[in-house]
Amino acid sequence: DIQMKDFYLHNGFDLNDADQTLQLTIPLGDGRIPMSCTVAPTPLNTWEEQNNLLYRLQMNEITFVDMNSLKSMQRMPHFMTLGLYRNAVLIGEVIMAGQGSDCELIAIYVEPGSRNQGMGKALLHRMMAIMAAEGVTRVTTRIMSRSLPQQRLAADFSATVLGVNMLFPGMYLN
């Protein structure tokens, strides 16, 4: 209601925060990987390898993937975690999972020292090419409206908005 909205605005809350569901355009080609970089599937055969992935995700502020959700994704027909390596050092990973012709971008991160260099875009492009070769024709994802990196990556893949979920008002202090 308007009175509640006015209260939140008056007290410095942001009412524009939203969780957006997007469809990404699968680009043509297999995606160029930057010089001195390689990609390889992340091994997830043991509990230790799975736990290490979850730790890396959490260190990059991706906290919604836990062991149960990872195990559930691994049972899907289309599942892959792809790592990006620079000089044999892991600098980023992407996770996608789905079935049939649909796949979801679950998570992507690039280590802070390698950000803003097109690494995430290159990694996601390669992953989408791999999934397209498996018959995937539709890739969706969810982003937070306040995240500029997520917005930029979505724009790089000509994302179209499928849905918007408004979140409770939040106060974000810098």
Side-chain angles (χ1 to χ4, degrees), residues 100-174:
S101 61
D102 293 346
C103 210
E104 183 177 359
L105 167 61
I106 305 296
I108 185 169
Y109 76 87
V110 173
E111 291 291 335
S114 298
R115 293 181 184 162
N116 298 314
Q117 300 172 32
M119 299 292 180
K121 180 179 178 180
L123 180 59
L124 182 55
H125 187 156
R126 178 61 60 90
M127 176 66 102
M128 291 171 80
I130 291 168
M131 290 299 178
E134 292 183 6
V136 169
T137 59
R138 184 172 185 253
V139 174
T140 59
T141 194
R142 294 171 62 162
I143 69 167
M144 297 300 297
S145 62
R146 71 176 175 265
S147 173
L148 293 178
Q150 290 177 7
Q151 288 180 5
R152 284 193 303 263
L153 192 60
D156 286 339
F157 291 92
S158 305
T160 55
V161 178
L162 300 176
V164 176
N165 297 315
M166 297 305 291
L167 302 177
F168 290 109
M171 182 175 278
Y172 303 102
L173 303 174
N174 292 335

Side-chain angles (χ1 to χ4, degrees), residues 21-96:
T21 302
L22 307 175
Q23 181 172 335
L24 305 177
T25 302
I26 299 174
L28 299 174
D30 63 356
R32 289 187 158 180
I33 298 301
M35 295 289 283
S36 76
C37 290
T38 58
V39 294
T42 302
L44 296 172
N45 301 316
T46 66
W47 179 87
E48 184 178 9
E49 290 170 338
Q50 295 164 5
N51 206 43
N52 287 341
L53 170 65
L54 296 176
Y55 175 77
R56 291 188 302 271
L57 292 173
Q58 289 175 357
M59 293 306 296
N60 285 280
E61 299 180 15
I62 300 171
T63 58
F64 61 88
V65 179
D66 60 16
M67 190 61 80
N68 289 332
S69 62
L70 180 61
K71 293 281 190 189
S72 177
M73 287 184 280
Q74 286 181 292
R75 289 190 292 272
M76 298 182 115
H78 302 298
F79 172 77
M80 180 178 266
T81 300
L82 192 64
L84 179 65
Y85 299 84
R86 177 186 279 155
N87 300 322
V89 175
L90 182 65
I91 61 168
E93 288 175 294
V94 60
I95 303 172
M96 289 183 78

